[in-house]
Amino acid sequence: MNRPVLLVIAHGSRDPRHAATVHALVRRAASLRPGVRVETAFLDFNVPSVGAVLERLASEGVRDVVALPLLLTRAFHAKADIPAVLREAPPSLRMRQAPVLGPSPLLIAALERRLYEAGLTPADKRSTGVVLASAGSSDPEAIAVIAEMARELRHTGWCAVRPAFASASLPRTEDAVRALREEGARRVAVAPYVIAPGRLPDRIAEGAAGADVLADVLGPSPELARLLLARYEEARAEARGRAAA
């Protein structure tokens, strides 16, 4: 049986680093599962669009597609934008929307990888406070997931972890850095909880000016590539379960 095509849907950005990072991540995921066809599309700013890719797949005779939102939380884009564009798919395509990426232990592992690459070691955990800095959202569900991720990261041994946001929510990165200093953290690190560079990640970096360490965005980390495939398999398993019911 042919496996469904995995269509990774990214938001898109005017910043060229965003699309380059998305493509690098998708290439890494595809290299881990050679038997799965992987395509990339963007909601805005970049090409190809979701609609253009779906039309092409249908014209090639593809029947099954798993659409994976390249999103860390289930906020507006996952709840409204992506379902809306998928409803416009050619009728010959059987569409399944996979869950968003977060929360996941693989994301915790990716965050720690980036912190270690920035110069920290496991021995630094007890003396280091971490700011988990996300893009931000006005969606309560998304905010709750960020808080959950901060708690899970704290449970790995860091002396404290505080969530922060680049937009829509408070506190800002610089406020969380200051709070950790006031609480007595010997060292403060900022871990961007974002996938690719862009305007909001740049704002996180600006807010990290008072920190000792600024980690890189998650980008094409091995853990994130594995998570894309895990969500793809979850969507396939759910579809098989519905078919068997």
Side-chain angles (χ1 to χ4, degrees), residues 131-203:
V131 176
L132 182 67
S134 73
S137 174
S138 58
D139 189 300
E141 182 181 349
I143 298 300
V145 168
I146 301 299
E148 177 185 345
M149 288 293 295
R151 288 191 295 270
E152 292 301 316
L153 187 59
R154 168 70 180 82
H155 291 160
T156 69
W158 302 96
C159 77
V161 178
R162 279 181 169 264
F165 307 93
S167 69
S169 311
L170 294 174
R172 296 287 181 254
T173 303
E174 53 269 32
D175 299 325
V177 170
R178 188 179 310 112
L180 286 171
R181 294 276 189 216
E182 292 171 353
E183 291 170 8
R186 189 183 312 166
R187 185 187 296 103
V188 176
V190 173
Y193 189 56
V194 292
I195 293 172
R199 178 176 57 87
L200 294 179
D202 284 348
R203 191 178 295 173

Side-chain angles (χ1 to χ4, degrees), residues 13-100:
S13 170
R14 293 186 178 90
D15 189 321
R17 298 174 297 169
H18 175 91
T21 302
V22 169
H23 286 303
L25 171 61
V26 172
R27 283 195 301 271
R28 186 161 207 163
S31 72
L32 296 176
R33 198 68 58 84
V36 176
R37 178 176 175 181
V38 186
E39 298 278 349
T40 308
F42 298 89
L43 287 173
D44 205 356
F45 303 117
N46 302 105
V47 293
S49 68
V50 178
V53 174
L54 293 177
E55 290 287 350
R56 174 166 54 81
L57 292 174
S59 71
E60 294 174 8
V62 170
R63 288 292 176 263
D64 294 287
V65 178
V66 170
L68 172 61
L70 196 62
L71 300 169
L72 297 173
T73 58
R74 190 173 173 271
F76 183 78
H77 294 306
K79 293 177 179 178
D81 286 349
I82 291 177
V85 75
L86 295 182
R87 283 194 293 270
E88 300 300 318
S92 61
L93 294 176
R94 286 188 290 265
M95 302 296 306
R96 306 162 214 168
Q97 182 174 330
V100 298

Side-chain angles (χ1 to χ4, degrees), residues 1-4 66 96 231-241:
M1 178 185 298
N2 290 332
R3 289 174 174 267
V66 170
R96 306 162 214 168
R231 293 293 188 246
Y232 168 77
E233 294 298 346
E234 287 173 28
R236 289 187 67 214
E238 182 180 349
R240 287 196 298 267

